[in-house]
Amino acid sequence: DQQVKQNSPSLSVQEGRISILNCDYTNSMFDYFLWYKKYPAEGPTFLISISSIKDKNEDGRFTVFLNKSAKHLSLHIVPSQPGDSAVYFCAPHSGNTPLVFGKGTRLSVIA
Amino acid sequence: GAGVSQSPSNKVTEKGKDVELRCDPISGHTALYWYRQSLGQGLEFLIYFQGNSAPDKSGLPSDRFSAERTGGSVSTLTIQRTQQEDSAVYLCASSPWDRRDYGYTFGSGTRLTVV
C-alpha cells in the first residue's frame, strides 16, 4: 500500500524549459512535504520543503505547489538546466514520524 | 565531520553470512535514520533513533535485521544470515530533531550485494 506515488518514472525536458514533477499521497495526516534530489552513487540531498499550511514555496528556480484537497504536490524547475538531471523523490511526513519516500522520477534535461 | 559518513561503501557477501554496516552522523544531530533502496524502488524506512528514546524499529523487514546506536552517535546496522533479497543500497541519515523543514542529511550509502 503506497502512501506516496510518483506516477512518472521518467521525464525528459529541453534545457531552458520548465520541468514539472508530480507526487500524490494518500495519508491526510502528512503535514510536511519535502523534495529530494539524487545523483548516481550519492545519497539523496534535500531540495525544498513545504508545510501543509502553505500552498506554495519558492526557492530560486525551484517552486513547490501543494493542493491539500487533491492530496497532490508538484515541483517546478524553471529554467531547467542539464545539471538538474537526477532522480527526484517526494517525501512527506507527519508529526515526528520518518519521511515516507516515493519511488522517484528520473529527470533528464537535454541540452 | 562535515557530513554523514558510511562504511564500507561497497560490500559483497555470501548468502548466509552476517554483515555490519556503519554510520557516523553529523555531530550534534540527535536523530539518526536507516533506509534502504532496492533496485527500481524508492527509499524504504528501516529504523530510527532519537536521543535516548527507544528506537522505532517498525520498518525492519525481519528479525535478521538489528541496529544499535552507541553513545548517541555512531550506529551499526547488522544483517544476520544474509539473503539475496537483502541486496540493496543501505542509506543512513541524520537530522536535528527540532527542524522539520530541514530534512535529513544522507550519507552516500553502502551498496550490499549478496551472492
Side-chain angles (χ1 to χ4, degrees), chain A residues 31 34 36 43 46 49 95-96 99, chain B residues 35 48 97 100-101 103-104 107:
Chain A
D31 61 351
L34 291 80
Y36 278 80
F46 169 69
S49 66
N96 292 322
L99 293 175
Chain B
Y35 285 79
Y48 90 86
W97 183 246
R100 298 195 59 229
D101 61 328
Y104 308 163

Side-chain angles (χ1 to χ4, degrees), chain A residues 38-43 106, chain B residues 6-13 19-22 34-41 77 79 82 84 86-92 107-115:
Chain A
K38 186 180 184 304
Y39 293 118
E42 295 183 10
R106 182 178 302 278
Chain B
Q6 291 189 245
S7 60
S9 54
N10 279 284
K11 176 74 177 177
V12 180
T13 190
V19 295
E20 285 190 352
L21 312 179
R22 177 186 168 103
W34 284 98
Y35 285 79
R36 73 175 176 181
Q37 185 179 20
S38 304
L39 195 62
Q41 301 298 311
L77 177 69
I79 309 173
T82 51
Q84 288 185 328
D86 299 335
S87 295
V89 176
Y90 288 80
L91 292 156
C92 175
S108 296
T110 294
R111 180 175 297 278
L112 175 67
T113 305
V114 182
V115 298

